[in-house]
């Protein structure tokens, strides 16, 4: 690819409209930047959130996509950790490695990372993407619904050269997010009882994390009964469909568990589910983790739900999961990825993939973008 070459991207020109395949320009990487040829990318609900639910129209036009894997094509001045040919996963939550947050084992947040992202626009401050002379936003600093993208070197993770990119791309968001929420944020203990609300890819990954952490009982909660068999594959032991009950789901779970679960993980991104997940925890020591993303509604709870001893936490990208380690765990057959993939398409079918997710007819659809 050359600085004057045209690259195919799937562009979201405005909210609530189909994406369009366009020939756009991807500038060469500048200092501390890496240009990546995207081999595979998956559709995540966060892409749909920005396209369909986020109320800030200033975040358009944009190139969506943030769950991907590819190969380094070129590097800018000052980049020494990466070289052309490296297999990598772009990361929407970068790590500078130097700030107080990066040096703390308690968080995966980074002071520098958030200065490079307009949170209200869900886009990078800088963008090397343009179309017909018009600047395109770079979604969450990655924009992987594309043949090429340019990201800051702190937002790139080098992975095992033997890793299949059409599988490990899922580690770029959903699987790390759910798995890490259980293992790193909730800190699920062996022998415990857990409930996971919402059985999309993130929820199923949370089920897998609970299983890996040694939970004895894992209750999968979703209003779509067809998802229950899939949850069983990842370790769920019980299934509850709120539509089958005329009582609040927290009361149903309390009766099933002698007062409430030890851990609950909310993966639906709905404020009413967040409250139900909290109230489903045992009052004295239960831990509830909010994972599902939304920023358009307030969430409320009565103080009495917390003062007796419950803990309410949030989790972004699963805490310090360590992407290279997650890839290695998959290669060592200690982490499931293939089982999440229900559909495979190409980049020009991205609107079909989005429709599948809107209709809850997929877990993950992986789009082939470029050949390695």
């Amino acid at each position: 690819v050359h600085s004057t070459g045209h690259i195919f991207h799937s562009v979201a020109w405005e909210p609530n409209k189909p994406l369009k395949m366009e020939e756009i320009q991807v500038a060469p990487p500048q200092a501390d930047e890496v240009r990546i040829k995207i081999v595979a990318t998956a559709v995540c609900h966060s892409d749909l959130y920005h396209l369909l639910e986020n109320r800030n129209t200033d975040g358009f036009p944009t190139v969506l996509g943030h769950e991907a894997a590819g190969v380094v094509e070129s590097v800018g001045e000052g980049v020494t950790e990466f070289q052309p040919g490296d297999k990598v996963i772009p990361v929407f939550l970068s790590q500078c490695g130097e700030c107080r947050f990066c040096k703390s084992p308690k968080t995966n947040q980074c002071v520098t990372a958030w200065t490079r992202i307009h949170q209200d626009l869900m886009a990078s401050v800088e963008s090397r993407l343009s179309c017909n002379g018009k600047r395109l936003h770079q979604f969450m600093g990655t924009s992987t619904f594309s043949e090429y993208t340019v990201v800051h070197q702190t937002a790139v993770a080098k992975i095992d050269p033997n890793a299949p990119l059409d599988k490990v791309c899922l580690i770029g968001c959903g699987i790390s997010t759910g798995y890490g929420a259980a293992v790193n944020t909730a800190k699920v203990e062996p022998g415990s009882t857990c409930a996971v609300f919402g059985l999309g890819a993130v929820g199923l990954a949370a089920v897998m994390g609970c299983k890996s952490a040694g939970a004895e009982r894992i209750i999968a909660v979703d209003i779509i009964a067809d998802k229950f068999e899939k949850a069983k594959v990842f370790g769920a032991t019980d299934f509850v469909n709120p539509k089958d009950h005329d009582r609040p789901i927290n009361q149903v779970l309390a009766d099933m568990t002698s007062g409430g679960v030890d851990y609950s993980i909310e993966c639906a991104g709905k404020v009413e589910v967040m409250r139900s997940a909290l109230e489903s925890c045992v009052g004295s020591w239960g831990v509830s983790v909010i994972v599902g993303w939304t920023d358009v509604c307030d969430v409320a709870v009565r103080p009495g739900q917390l003062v007796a001893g419950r803990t309410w936490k949030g989790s972004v990208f699963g805490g310090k999961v360590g992407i290279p380690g997650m890839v290695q765990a998959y290669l060592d057959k200690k982490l499931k990825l293939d089982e999440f993939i229900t559909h495979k398409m190409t980049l020009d079918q991205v609107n079909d993939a989005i429709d599948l997710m809107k209709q809850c007819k997929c877990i993950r659809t992986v789009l082939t973008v470029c050949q390695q």
Side-chain angles (χ1 to χ4, degrees):
V1 63
H2 304 285
S3 60
T4 56
H6 290 275
I7 312 301
F8 281 104
H9 284 55
S10 186
V11 179
W13 287 104
E14 54 186 314
N16 294 295
K17 294 293 178 63
L19 278 56
K20 293 184 178 180
M21 293 298 294
E22 304 278 9
E23 283 190 298
I24 78 169
Q25 289 187 302
V26 182
Q30 297 188 15
D32 299 323
E33 294 180 342
V34 177
R35 186 158 58 183
I36 302 170
K37 179 174 73 172
I38 300 297
V39 172
T41 186
V43 179
C44 172
H45 187 268
S46 296
D47 302 309
L48 270 67
Y49 171 82
H50 186 69
L51 182 66
L52 306 175
E53 301 173 33
N54 192 2
R55 297 170 183 170
N56 192 337
T57 59
D58 292 335
F60 295 86
T62 188
V63 177
L64 296 171
H66 62 287
E67 188 175 281
V71 179
V72 173
E73 178 269 338
S74 59
V75 300
E77 181 182 354
V79 177
T80 58
E81 184 179 348
F82 305 97
Q83 59 186 5
D86 285 344
K87 284 189 175 182
V88 295
I89 290 178
V91 185
F92 68 89
L93 183 59
S94 61
Q95 303 277 289
C96 74
E98 299 176 356
C99 69
R100 61 178 294 213
F101 287 177
C102 282
K103 290 180 178 179
S104 170
K106 298 179 180 180
T107 182
N108 61 349
Q109 304 300 299
C110 171
V111 173
T112 304
W114 294 126
T115 66
R116 298 196 181 105
I117 302 289
H118 286 299
Q119 289 301 302
D120 54 339
L121 304 181
M122 298 183 76
S124 294
V125 173
E126 300 285 346
S127 175
R128 307 294 173 227
L129 314 178
S130 61
C131 183
N132 298 323
K134 185 176 181 61
R135 180 183 184 272
L136 301 175
H137 287 299
Q138 186 177 28
F139 182 69
M140 294 305 292
T142 56
S143 283
T144 61
F145 289 173
S146 56
E147 292 183 348
Y148 289 83
T149 192
V150 177
V151 302
H152 195 274
Q153 64 175 338
T154 59
V156 184
K158 187 188 299 185
I159 61 174
D160 191 302
N162 296 313
L165 300 182
D166 61 338
K167 307 292 175 51
V168 300
C169 61
L170 303 185
I171 292 174
C173 182
I175 279 58
S176 297
T177 296
Y179 186 91
V183 174
N184 298 328
T185 308
K187 300 187 186 304
V188 170
E189 295 176 326
S192 60
T193 297
C194 305
V196 176
F197 290 72
L199 301 179
V202 174
L204 293 173
V207 170
M208 181 169 60
C210 292
K211 174 73 172 179
S212 177
E216 182 176 324
R217 193 176 182 189
I218 304 170
I219 305 170
V221 182
D222 201 291
I223 60 174
I224 300 176
D226 291 347
K227 293 183 178 181
F228 292 163
E229 283 303 312
K230 177 67 79 170
K232 189 175 181 180
V233 171
F234 293 98
T237 59
D238 299 82
F239 311 99
V240 175
N241 185 338
K243 290 185 175 181
D244 293 339
H245 302 272
D246 56 8
R247 295 179 298 150
I249 191 64
N250 63 293
Q251 294 179 15
V252 174
L253 294 184
D255 289 346
M256 292 174 61
T257 57
S258 300
V261 299
D262 300 303
Y263 303 94
S264 67
I265 304 174
E266 184 280 328
C267 302
K270 299 183 182 298
V271 293
E272 61 272 18
V273 179
M274 295 172 187
R275 177 166 179 168
S276 293
L278 174 70
E279 294 174 343
S280 296
C281 284
V282 63
S284 299
W285 63 74
V287 175
S288 186
V289 180
I290 296 174
V291 183
W293 174 258
T294 184
D295 200 31
V296 295
C297 300
D298 291 337
V299 60
V301 66
R302 293 182 181 273
Q305 298 290 354
L306 295 169
V307 295
R310 285 190 181 96
T311 301
W312 212 2
K313 307 176 74 173
S315 183
V316 176
F317 199 33
K320 291 196 170 178
V321 292
I323 286 179
M326 292 280 283
V327 170
Q328 190 59 52
Y330 169 72
L331 294 176
D332 293 341
K333 302 187 185 305
K334 296 178 180 178
L335 185 80
K336 296 180 186 295
L337 290 181
D338 302 54
E339 293 82 357
F340 288 95
I341 302 171
T342 54
H343 298 77
K344 293 183 178 181
M345 298 182 178
T346 54
L347 181 60
D348 58 357
Q349 297 174 293
V350 63
N351 287 309
D352 295 331
I354 288 172
D355 286 341
L356 282 173
M357 180 161 280
K358 284 167 58 177
Q359 297 168 24
C360 298
K361 292 183 177 179
C362 70
I363 300 300
R364 271 297 187 265
T365 298
V366 173
L367 306 174
T368 298
V369 183
C370 294
Q371 298 300 314
Q372 291 188 33

